[in-house]
Amino acid sequence: MEHTKKRLLLKILCIVLAVFIAIAAALGITVACLWGNEIATVASFKQLRERNDANEEGSVYRMDVKGGFYFDEFLKQGASSDKELINFITGKITKGLIKMDIGETDIGCASFTAKTPEGDVLFARNYDFAKTNVCITLADPGKGRHKSFSSVDLNYVGMDVDRDVNGLMNKITCLAAPFTPLDGINDAGVSCGIYMSYQGGTATEGTVATDQKDESKKNITSTTMLRMVLDYADDVDEAVELIKQYNLHDSANTSFHYMVADASGKSAILEWLPENGTDSTDNDGSSRKLVVTYNDDPMYDALRAEDEFKYQWITNFIVNGHESYYENNDGKPGYDRYEHIYAKLKEGKGVVADENAAMDILADVGRRTWNGGGGCTVHSAVFNLTKKTVLWVANENFDDNTAVYSYSFESGKLTTLS
């Protein structure tokens, strides 16, 4: 009898254990199905470079994004504000379990295109802000979308600029990073950057965000527009056609313009302007229309000789019709940097020796030293659109090989020069 009871008890325990294992397996499968890509993405998040508070430097991180992060679905739905964007990200990525946020920022920045003697087309970019954490974000969404390398200011996803990104919850919050790129390149050789345009005010006073209201178009925010270009555009023309389909709603209560370039050497500046008016009267963000200025626009005829590479450059004022949009050059934010970049490019007729020479021009206008200093360039990048490679420098540490990163789509490797 006692032996029979023991056998019965053992059988019950085995059944209970089997049920427990089955439940755990089912939960594991459910979690893997719901968050498999997100778990892998969070696991890839790692610090590449430590912060240096004495030099106003945040940390540099890397994240390899697994899966499509619901961006196809986002484009079908769209968003007309940062709040709508965050609601979408929170609902899809964390299933509403974890609160996310979009931070505000006040950025300067500069970009230009150039060509090497070998014919490689380069797109160079400074991201000017203040001390912040930045994440090199590598994405391979598949399903007809391009692989991409992008730079993300983690302040945009709510990370404290004065602290490292520690703890699981903060890393989960950084899953929003693919929705907030500020520049990047895709494996088709298309690059894009975003820059403040300070419209309807000055660099120190309030600006007016673009907030288009065409009911026949879908809605998109500033950084998600850049993500759309990186993921779907094969060239500049395709990028422009994609953007034309959407109402732009600028993020962070400010105004932006863009520059996009491809491996053919074609580039364009995209701005949202009133049909008539000046900077001082440009106070209705809903009435602005997209204006595209290509690098072969007649406005450049007086600035470049016919035999020069059709380089293009941008800082933080409206380029298209700027002579009439502003009262004078003093009202153009970043005009001094714009003129310096132009002078450097004109010296070589738009040709620079290599990526390092392009980086030297970015170093010239780095905010820590430019015009007496007092600012900060968070990162500088030179994208080779022909070879599909990246040269990327953290916090103006141009002479420190531990802060200089290279990336190639062909190898898929991100390395420092040290």
Side-chain angles (χ1 to χ4, degrees), residues 296-337:
D296 61 356
D297 190 278
M299 69 170 281
Y300 295 112
D301 289 348
L303 301 174
R304 298 181 315 225
E306 289 186 8
D307 62 341
E308 293 184 63
F309 172 68
K310 290 181 172 57
Y311 55 88
Q312 198 170 26
W313 64 108
I314 187 172
T315 54
N316 302 113
F317 64 91
I318 292 301
V319 171
N320 190 287
H322 61 92
E323 293 87 352
S324 58
Y325 189 77
Y326 300 96
E327 292 183 5
N328 52 56
N329 291 338
D330 292 338
K332 301 174 184 176
Y335 183 74
D336 52 351
R337 289 178 287 118

Side-chain angles (χ1 to χ4, degrees), residues 8-194:
L8 180 60
L9 180 59
L10 181 60
K11 185 176 182 180
I12 293 172
L13 288 174
C14 289
I15 293 172
V16 170
L17 180 60
V19 170
F20 178 79
I21 291 173
I23 293 173
L27 287 173
I29 292 170
T30 300
V31 169
C33 290
L34 287 175
W35 290 296
N37 287 328
E38 288 77 11
I39 291 169
T41 301
V42 169
S44 76
F45 189 90
K46 65 179 181 180
Q47 188 180 51
L48 298 180
R49 183 173 175 84
E50 295 181 354
R51 66 194 307 107
N52 180 358
D53 293 323
N55 195 40
E56 293 295 305
E57 299 180 24
S59 293
V60 178
Y61 297 90
R62 168 184 177 160
M63 185 167 70
D64 294 80
V65 182
K66 307 300 181 184
F69 50 92
Y70 305 97
F71 197 69
D72 283 329
E73 189 172 343
F74 168 77
L75 288 180
K76 293 177 182 177
Q77 174 180 317
S80 59
S81 66
D82 288 339
K83 182 178 179 181
E84 288 185 13
L85 171 61
I86 281 299
N87 286 342
F88 175 86
I89 296 172
T90 301
K92 291 297 179 180
I93 293 180
T94 73
K95 315 306 177 191
L97 299 177
I98 298 173
K99 182 180 180 297
M100 291 180 166
D101 197 9
I102 290 285
E104 294 186 6
T105 188
D106 186 18
I107 58 180
C109 311
S111 270
F112 63 87
T113 56
K115 187 173 70 171
T116 69
E118 294 75 26
D120 290 356
V121 178
L122 308 179
F123 179 93
R125 190 278 208 283
N126 269 351
Y127 173 54
D128 303 325
F129 176 45
K131 182 175 69 174
T132 190
N133 298 306
V134 63
C135 183
I136 294 173
T137 305
L138 304 174
D140 182 8
K143 296 184 178 180
R145 289 160 60 187
H146 290 292
K147 296 180 182 179
S148 65
F149 172 112
S150 62
S151 312
V152 176
D153 179 350
L154 293 179
N155 175 61
Y156 257 95
V157 297
M159 293 296 101
D160 191 330
V161 299
D162 292 315
R163 295 181 181 179
D164 283 338
V165 180
N166 291 317
L168 180 60
M169 297 303 287
N170 280 336
K171 291 179 181 179
I172 290 174
T173 300
C174 289
L175 289 170
F179 289 83
T180 59
L182 297 174
D183 57 61
I185 179 176
N186 69 20
D187 60 3
V190 176
S191 272
C192 189
I194 185 172

Side-chain angles (χ1 to χ4, degrees), residues 363-380:
D364 285 346
V365 293
R367 301 311 299 274
R368 285 182 172 85
T369 55
W370 177 256
N371 199 24
C376 176
T377 296
V378 177
H379 71 263
S380 304

